[in-house]
């Protein structure tokens, strides 16, 4: 089955700097890669996702890149703000509809003002 | 449209007891997945139900079980509780199996003493 590795487990950046979180996956058939943000005491919420037919997707200060050959994808947050502080989870899912999302172990991002 | 609702929010149980958690998905969603969240272990998949059938099961002991009703509401049961079962239990619903956004509930915080 699919296995997702996520690095780093913790990340501290100064406000205004960029943050990058990387994930690798094992199943070359996976074609859906969402990222979730979980603020303290709250539920995980989708912030951006990408499918394998594109290499990059942007939404304001957030972008995700996908390298299918190397089987890794990354989350990029530019101009970080204190409200970006949270735990971020990557996930991967194969195309057939009967398998669940497999999540990485999460990255705790701290943005220092 | 109402989000995913989990009840209760908090539970304290004694070792050896059993517990039942409930999850009401977003209206129209037929897929419900359950995850266990513990510090450092991320979101570990328990099982997924679709149209009242368990379609996938994670690597958890048989003490963890679940079911889904005809209205797509799902329950998760843990018998013979152990201290290590203390965790945040999250359910997520989606409109189809896999390969799509999962919407999470707020979770049930289970503490076993």
């Amino acid at each position: 089955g699919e296995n997702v590795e996520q690095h780093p487990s913790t990340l501290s950046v100064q406000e205004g700097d960029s943050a990058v979180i990387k994930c690798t996956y094992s199943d070359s058939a996976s074609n859906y890669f969402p990222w979730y943000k979980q603020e303290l005491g709250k539920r995980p919420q989708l912030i951006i996702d990408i499918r394998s037919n594109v290499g990059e997707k942007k939404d304001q200060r957030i972008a995700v890149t996908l390298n299918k050959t190397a089987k890794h994808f990354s989350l990029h947050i530019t101009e970080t703000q204190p409200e970006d502080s949270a735990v971020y989870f990557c996930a991967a899912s194969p195309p057939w509809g009967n398998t669940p999302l497999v999540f990485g172990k999460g990255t705790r991002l701290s943005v220092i003002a | 449209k109402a989000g995913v609702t989990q009840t209760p929010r908090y539970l304290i149980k004694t070792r050896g007891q059993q517990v039942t958690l409930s999850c009401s998905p977003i209206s129209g969603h037929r897929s419900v997945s359950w995850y266990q969240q513990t510090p450092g272990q991320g979101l570990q998949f328990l099982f997924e139900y679709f149209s009242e059938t368990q379609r996938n099961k994670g690597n958890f002991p048989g003490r963890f079980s679940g079911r889904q009703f005809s209205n797509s509401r799902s329950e998760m049961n843990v018998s013979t509780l152990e201290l290590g079962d203390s965790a945040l239990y999250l359910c997520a619903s989606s409109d189809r199996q896999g390969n799509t956004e999962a919407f999470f509930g707020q979770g049930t915080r289970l503490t076993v003493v």
Side-chain angles (χ1 to χ4, degrees):
Chain A
E2 177 63 275
N3 182 53
V4 177
E5 300 279 342
Q6 183 172 348
H7 299 281
S9 57
T10 60
L11 179 60
S12 291
V13 299
Q14 293 288 330
E15 182 179 359
D17 286 350
S18 295
V20 180
I21 303 170
K22 299 181 179 180
C23 290
T24 59
Y25 59 99
S26 62
D27 189 343
S28 57
S30 286
N31 70 343
Y32 176 63
F33 307 94
W35 286 87
Y36 285 79
K37 175 183 180 182
Q38 186 178 29
E39 297 178 43
L40 190 62
K42 297 191 176 180
R43 71 189 78 194
Q45 291 192 290
L46 181 75
I47 55 171
I48 195 167
D49 57 11
I50 191 169
R51 294 190 183 271
S52 59
N53 56 343
V54 298
E56 183 175 4
K57 184 176 179 181
K58 288 187 73 173
D59 183 3
Q60 299 181 4
R61 297 185 297 107
I62 293 172
V64 57
T65 58
L66 172 65
N67 183 326
K68 288 168 55 181
T69 303
K71 291 190 284 186
H72 68 69
F73 56 112
S74 300
L75 177 71
H76 304 254
I77 306 174
T78 58
E79 300 171 17
T80 53
Q81 301 166 5
E83 52 265 39
D84 294 328
S85 295
V87 178
Y88 291 81
F89 293 98
C90 63
S93 175
W96 35 90
N98 61 348
T99 49
L101 287 173
V102 176
F103 287 86
K105 293 190 175 182
T107 296
R108 181 173 299 281
L109 173 65
S110 299
V111 180
I112 303 163
Chain B
K1 166 156 121 169
V4 179
T5 304
Q6 290 187 247
T7 56
R9 291 291 310 279
Y10 303 93
L11 268 177
I12 300 176
K13 290 287 187 177
T14 305
R15 269 184 306 174
Q17 287 187 310
Q18 73 161 15
V19 66
T20 299
L21 314 181
S22 178
C23 172
S24 293
I26 290 172
S27 177
H29 285 190
R30 291 191 293 162
S31 173
V32 175
S33 297
W34 288 89
Y35 293 87
Q36 181 193 68
Q37 184 175 23
T38 53
Q41 292 302 310
L43 297 164
Q44 292 186 285
F45 173 72
L46 281 154
F47 27 67
E48 182 208 7
Y49 287 87
F50 183 84
S51 293
E52 302 180 65
T53 302
Q54 187 182 90
R55 296 302 178 100
N56 290 284
K57 191 176 192 312
N59 190 25
F60 277 82
R63 300 184 296 107
F64 292 81
S65 64
R67 58 178 175 169
Q68 187 179 34
F69 302 94
S70 59
N71 61 358
S72 293
R73 188 177 71 86
S74 178
E75 287 183 347
M76 188 189 100
N77 184 275
V78 188
S79 62
T80 321
L81 284 166
E82 300 177 359
L83 296 179
D85 297 333
S86 296
L88 179 67
Y89 289 88
L90 291 161
C91 80
S93 78
S94 54
D95 59 0
R96 59 182 187 272
Q97 286 182 278
N99 215 243
T100 189
E101 180 179 2
F103 294 83
F104 283 88
Q106 292 271 39
T108 294
R109 172 76 61 186
L110 172 65
T111 302
V112 183
V113 297

